[in-house]
Amino acid sequence: MNSDPIKKQAWEKFEKRKKIKFINSLSGFKSANLVGTVDENSVVNLSIVSSFFHLGSDPALVGFVIRPDVSPRHTLDNIRKNKKCTLNHVNSNIYQKAHQTSARYDKEKSEFLECGLTEEYLNDFLAPFVKESTIKMSLEIQNEILIEENGTHLLIGKIKDVYLPDIIVSEDGYIDIEKAQSVCVSSLDSYHLTKRITRLSYAKPEQQLTEIDL
Amino acid sequence: MNSDPIKKQAWEKFEKRKKIKFINSLSGFKSANLVGTVDENSVVNLSIVSSFFHLGSDPALVGFVIRPDVSPRHTLDNIRKNKKCTLNHVNSNIYQKAHQTSARYDKEKSEFLECGLTEEYLNDFLAPFVKESTIKMSLEIQNEILIEENGTHLLIGKIKDVYLPDIIVSEDGYIDIEKAQSVCVSSLDSYHLTKRITRLSYAKPEQQLTEIDL
């Protein structure tokens, strides 16, 4: 396929919703996770978030972005109060329910109830997990950074307990998230299953890569 | 599949490399992009980066993380000097070459040359694009934020020109990155093709989701 130029001058003139879908497609595939939180009155909240990224493994940190002006605003309110949330992988059995959590429900409504997902409480952690999710973990929020360029909020979470089936963890630590049917997202609304090509060995100069068996 | 607990106490005792692969798997699927930069002596650099995330569409911003202690350190040096880089999607034809860019080459070596990828210069932009990449764009770096929790650097880039085949852009702005064979990554070293399940309509309370045709 040849790559045609769409210069800045061209895509900047797209109408608002078209531009949102176009720009959202550009960074590539995204993780699909549900963030569970709870407020001081025990009202729970659940939001789909596609901006989670690995930040480091020691300490074990993830980052994610919350826009204050859209649906996960209750998530941000709750996290600011108790610094706790859960991260739950969206899988192919629940992607429609997960997508529905992005609707603008009133604060007193539980997205678990409205979208047909089940609250689960594990190891005395304050925030709710998603029972239907196969890979999930508790996070303690360490920091919130305001991104001045557009008023979004970057949250940094420390990974605490992790819940997943033993059989998908390889000897070397690799987790076969494909086997757990975790999905990925592109643009705003497109859900994808994956098909592994291969794992590749650690790259060194002047050395041929080899494939790693699972 | 049942989810077994791997409590903090357990995974924290994994040996270092096992912990890296385990924790890197947890956030879910990641984008796979090559970042092209150039230094003041016209020495080019190319690094695979899996931490790109969408930050906003107006202004059009992406974020990504660079660890100063590993391979993309030359990327960080170059970006600090001229605030410019290119973002190039890794596709299934070049994923091995893209992975090889993570080897620790000396600064004067070009990863393009060492890994068998082709430099391309478009619209007078200073930094090199990857000719073999089907979806690519120029970025101007707006800001660098030190993540104090682990000493990594979050870079915020503004999207300028975008190059991609016209035929993969839908009427509504959605880009079919699957058709361009863009891959995603899990953990450190696992490359995946995708298979779209569907696109879903904008979610509203009390309204059934519908599927969107491409």
Side-chain angles (χ1 to χ4, degrees), chain B residues 61-89:
Chain B
L61 297 173
V62 290
F64 63 109
V65 177
I66 299 266
R67 310 180 70 83
D69 52 333
V70 294
S71 168
R73 65 194 179 284
H74 304 145
T75 299
L76 188 57
D77 292 343
N78 293 348
I79 282 175
R80 282 179 173 164
K81 280 173 196 151
N82 55 41
K83 313 288 185 203
K84 285 179 178 57
C85 69
T86 65
L87 183 164
N88 309 266
H89 279 213

CSV table of all heavy atoms in Angstrom, one decimal, chain B residues 61-89:
chain,number,residue,atom,x,y,z
B,61,LEU,N,-2.7,15.4,20.1
B,61,LEU,CA,-1.5,15.2,20.9
B,61,LEU,C,-1.4,13.7,21.2
B,61,LEU,O,-2.4,13.0,21.4
B,61,LEU,CB,-1.7,15.9,22.2
B,61,LEU,CG,-1.7,17.4,22.2
B,61,LEU,CD1,-2.0,17.9,23.6
B,61,LEU,CD2,-0.4,18.0,21.7
B,62,VAL,N,-0.2,13.2,21.2
B,62,VAL,CA,0.1,11.8,21.7
B,62,VAL,C,1.2,12.0,22.8
B,62,VAL,O,1.9,12.9,22.8
B,62,VAL,CB,0.7,10.9,20.6
B,62,VAL,CG1,-0.4,10.5,19.6
B,62,VAL,CG2,1.8,11.5,19.8
B,63,GLY,N,1.2,11.0,23.6
B,63,GLY,CA,2.2,10.9,24.7
B,63,GLY,C,3.0,9.6,24.5
B,63,GLY,O,2.5,8.6,24.0
B,64,PHE,N,4.2,9.6,25.0
B,64,PHE,CA,5.0,8.4,25.0
B,64,PHE,C,6.1,8.5,26.1
B,64,PHE,O,6.5,9.6,26.4
B,64,PHE,CB,5.6,8.0,23.6
B,64,PHE,CG,6.6,8.9,23.0
B,64,PHE,CD1,7.9,8.6,22.9
B,64,PHE,CD2,6.1,10.1,22.5
B,64,PHE,CE1,8.8,9.5,22.3
B,64,PHE,CE2,7.0,11.0,21.9
B,64,PHE,CZ,8.4,10.7,21.8
B,65,VAL,N,6.6,7.3,26.5
B,65,VAL,CA,7.5,7.3,27.6
B,65,VAL,C,8.9,6.8,27.1
B,65,VAL,O,8.9,5.8,26.4
B,65,VAL,CB,7.0,6.4,28.7
B,65,VAL,CG1,8.0,6.3,29.9
B,65,VAL,CG2,5.7,6.9,29.3
B,66,ILE,N,9.9,7.5,27.5
B,66,ILE,CA,11.3,7.1,27.2
B,66,ILE,C,12.0,6.8,28.6
B,66,ILE,O,11.9,7.6,29.5
B,66,ILE,CB,12.0,8.1,26.4
B,66,ILE,CG1,11.3,8.4,25.1
B,66,ILE,CG2,13.5,7.8,26.2
B,66,ILE,CD1,11.8,7.7,23.9
B,67,ARG,N,12.7,5.6,28.6
B,67,ARG,CA,13.5,5.3,29.8
B,67,ARG,C,14.9,5.8,29.4
B,67,ARG,O,15.5,5.4,28.4
B,67,ARG,CB,13.6,3.8,30.1
B,67,ARG,CG,12.2,3.2,30.1
B,67,ARG,CD,12.3,1.7,30.4
B,67,ARG,NE,12.8,1.5,31.7
B,67,ARG,CZ,11.9,1.5,32.8
B,67,ARG,NH1,10.6,1.6,32.6
B,67,ARG,NH2,12.4,1.4,34.0
B,68,PRO,N,15.5,6.6,30.3
B,68,PRO,CA,16.8,7.2,29.9
B,68,PRO,C,17.9,6.1,30.0
B,68,PRO,O,19.0,6.3,29.4
B,68,PRO,CB,17.0,8.3,31.0
B,68,PRO,CG,16.2,7.9,32.1
B,68,PRO,CD,15.0,7.1,31.6
B,69,ASP,N,17.7,5.0,30.7
B,69,ASP,CA,18.8,4.1,30.9
B,69,ASP,C,18.8,3.0,29.9
B,69,ASP,O,19.8,2.2,29.9
B,69,ASP,CB,18.6,3.5,32.3
B,69,ASP,CG,17.2,2.9,32.5
B,69,ASP,OD1,16.2,3.4,31.8
B,69,ASP,OD2,17.0,1.9,33.3
B,70,VAL,N,17.9,2.9,28.9
B,70,VAL,CA,18.0,1.9,27.9
B,70,VAL,C,18.1,2.4,26.5
B,70,VAL,O,18.3,3.6,26.3
B,70,VAL,CB,16.8,0.9,28.0
B,70,VAL,CG1,16.9,0.1,29.3
B,70,VAL,CG2,15.5,1.6,27.9
B,71,SER,N,18.0,1.6,25.6
B,71,SER,CA,18.3,1.9,24.2
B,71,SER,C,17.8,3.2,23.6
B,71,SER,O,18.6,3.9,23.0
B,71,SER,CB,17.7,0.7,23.3
B,71,SER,OG,17.8,1.1,22.0
B,72,PRO,N,16.5,3.6,23.9
B,72,PRO,CA,16.1,4.9,23.2
B,72,PRO,C,16.7,6.1,23.8
B,72,PRO,O,16.2,7.2,23.6
B,72,PRO,CB,14.6,4.9,23.3
B,72,PRO,CG,14.2,3.5,23.9
B,72,PRO,CD,15.5,3.0,24.6
B,73,ARG,N,17.8,6.0,24.5
B,73,ARG,CA,18.4,7.2,25.1
B,73,ARG,C,18.9,8.2,24.0
B,73,ARG,O,18.8,9.4,24.2
B,73,ARG,CB,19.6,6.9,26.1
B,73,ARG,CG,20.8,6.2,25.5
B,73,ARG,CD,21.7,5.6,26.5
B,73,ARG,NE,22.8,4.9,25.9
B,73,ARG,CZ,22.8,3.7,25.3
B,73,ARG,NH1,21.6,3.0,25.2
B,73,ARG,NH2,23.9,3.2,24.8
B,74,HIS,N,19.4,7.7,22.9
B,74,HIS,CA,19.8,8.6,21.8
B,74,HIS,C,18.5,9.3,21.3
B,74,HIS,O,18.6,10.5,20.9
B,74,HIS,CB,20.5,7.8,20.7
B,74,HIS,CG,21.7,7.0,21.2
B,74,HIS,ND1,22.0,5.8,20.7
B,74,HIS,CD2,22.6,7.3,22.1
B,74,HIS,CE1,23.1,5.4,21.3
B,74,HIS,NE2,23.5,6.2,22.2
B,75,THR,N,17.4,8.6,21.3
B,75,THR,CA,16.2,9.3,20.9
B,75,THR,C,15.9,10.5,21.8
B,75,THR,O,15.6,11.6,21.3
B,75,THR,CB,15.0,8.3,21.0
B,75,THR,OG1,15.3,7.2,20.2
B,75,THR,CG2,13.7,8.9,20.7
B,76,LEU,N,16.0,10.3,23.1
B,76,LEU,CA,15.8,11.4,24.0
B,76,LEU,C,16.8,12.5,23.8
B,76,LEU,O,16.4,13.7,23.7
B,76,LEU,CB,15.9,10.9,25.4
B,76,LEU,CG,15.5,11.8,26.6
B,76,LEU,CD1,14.0,12.3,26.4
B,76,LEU,CD2,15.6,11.1,27.9
B,77,ASP,N,18.0,12.2,23.6
B,77,ASP,CA,19.0,13.3,23.3
B,77,ASP,C,18.7,14.1,22.1
B,77,ASP,O,18.7,15.3,22.1
B,77,ASP,CB,20.4,12.6,23.1
B,77,ASP,CG,21.0,12.0,24.3
B,77,ASP,OD1,20.5,12.3,25.4
B,77,ASP,OD2,22.0,11.1,24.1
B,78,ASN,N,18.3,13.4,21.0
B,78,ASN,CA,18.0,14.0,19.8
B,78,ASN,C,16.7,14.9,19.9
B,78,ASN,O,16.7,16.0,19.4
B,78,ASN,CB,17.8,13.0,18.7
B,78,ASN,CG,19.1,12.3,18.3
B,78,ASN,OD1,20.2,12.7,18.7
B,78,ASN,ND2,19.0,11.2,17.5
B,79,ILE,N,15.7,14.4,20.6
B,79,ILE,CA,14.5,15.1,20.7
B,79,ILE,C,14.7,16.4,21.6
B,79,ILE,O,14.1,17.4,21.3
B,79,ILE,CB,13.4,14.2,21.4
B,79,ILE,CG1,12.8,13.2,20.3
B,79,ILE,CG2,12.3,15.0,22.0
B,79,ILE,CD1,11.8,12.2,20.9
B,80,ARG,N,15.5,16.3,22.6
B,80,ARG,CA,15.8,17.4,23.4
B,80,ARG,C,16.4,18.6,22.6
B,80,ARG,O,16.2,19.7,22.9
B,80,ARG,CB,16.7,17.1,24.6
B,80,ARG,CG,16.0,16.4,25.7
B,80,ARG,CD,16.9,16.0,26.8
B,80,ARG,NE,16.1,15.4,27.9
B,80,ARG,CZ,16.6,14.7,28.9
B,80,ARG,NH1,17.9,14.5,28.9
B,80,ARG,NH2,15.9,14.3,29.9
B,81,LYS,N,17.2,18.2,21.6
B,81,LYS,CA,17.9,19.2,20.8
B,81,LYS,C,17.0,19.9,19.8
B,81,LYS,O,17.0,21.1,19.6
B,81,LYS,CB,19.1,18.6,20.1
B,81,LYS,CG,20.3,18.5,21.1
B,81,LYS,CD,21.5,17.7,20.5
B,81,LYS,CE,22.4,17.3,21.7
B,81,LYS,NZ,23.1,16.0,21.3
B,82,ASN,N,16.2,19.1,19.0
B,82,ASN,CA,15.5,19.7,17.9
B,82,ASN,C,14.0,19.6,18.0
B,82,ASN,O,13.3,20.1,17.1
B,82,ASN,CB,16.0,19.3,16.6
B,82,ASN,CG,16.0,17.8,16.5
B,82,ASN,OD1,15.0,17.1,16.9
B,82,ASN,ND2,17.0,17.1,15.9
B,83,LYS,N,13.5,18.9,19.1
B,83,LYS,CA,12.0,18.8,19.4
B,83,LYS,C,11.2,18.2,18.2
B,83,LYS,O,10.1,18.5,18.1
B,83,LYS,CB,11.4,20.2,19.6
B,83,LYS,CG,12.2,21.1,20.6
B,83,LYS,CD,12.1,20.6,22.0
B,83,LYS,CE,12.7,21.5,23.0
B,83,LYS,NZ,13.1,20.9,24.3
B,84,LYS,N,11.9,17.3,17.5
B,84,LYS,CA,11.2,16.7,16.3
B,84,LYS,C,11.4,15.2,16.3
B,84,LYS,O,12.5,14.7,16.6
B,84,LYS,CB,11.7,17.3,15.0
B,84,LYS,CG,11.1,18.7,14.8
B,84,LYS,CD,11.6,19.4,13.5
B,84,LYS,CE,11.0,20.7,13.3
B,84,LYS,NZ,11.2,21.7,14.4
B,85,CYS,N,10.4,14.5,15.9
B,85,CYS,CA,10.5,13.1,15.7
B,85,CYS,C,9.4,12.6,14.7
B,85,CYS,O,8.5,13.4,14.5
B,85,CYS,CB,10.5,12.2,17.0
B,85,CYS,SG,9.0,12.2,17.8
B,86,THR,N,9.6,11.4,14.2
B,86,THR,CA,8.5,10.8,13.4
B,86,THR,C,8.0,9.6,14.2
B,86,THR,O,8.7,9.0,15.0
B,86,THR,CB,9.0,10.4,12.0
B,86,THR,OG1,9.9,9.3,12.2
B,86,THR,CG2,9.6,11.5,11.3
B,87,LEU,N,6.7,9.3,13.9
B,87,LEU,CA,6.1,8.1,14.5
B,87,LEU,C,5.6,7.3,13.3
B,87,LEU,O,4.9,7.8,12.4
B,87,LEU,CB,4.9,8.6,15.4
B,87,LEU,CG,4.0,7.6,16.1
B,87,LEU,CD1,3.2,8.3,17.2
B,87,LEU,CD2,3.1,6.7,15.2
B,88,ASN,N,6.1,6.0,13.3
B,88,ASN,CA,5.8,5.1,12.2
B,88,ASN,C,5.3,3.8,12.7
B,88,ASN,O,5.9,3.1,13.5
B,88,ASN,CB,7.2,4.8,11.4
B,88,ASN,CG,8.0,6.1,11.1
B,88,ASN,OD1,7.8,6.6,10.0
B,88,ASN,ND2,8.8,6.6,12.0
B,89,HIS,N,4.1,3.4,12.2
B,89,HIS,CA,3.5,2.2,12.7
B,89,HIS,C,4.3,1.0,12.3
B,89,HIS,O,4.8,0.9,11.1
B,89,HIS,CB,2.1,2.0,12.1
B,89,HIS,CG,1.0,2.7,12.8
B,89,HIS,ND1,-0.3,2.2,12.9
B,89,HIS,CD2,1.0,3.9,13.4
B,89,HIS,CE1,-1.0,3.1,13.5
B,89,HIS,NE2,-0.3,4.1,13.9
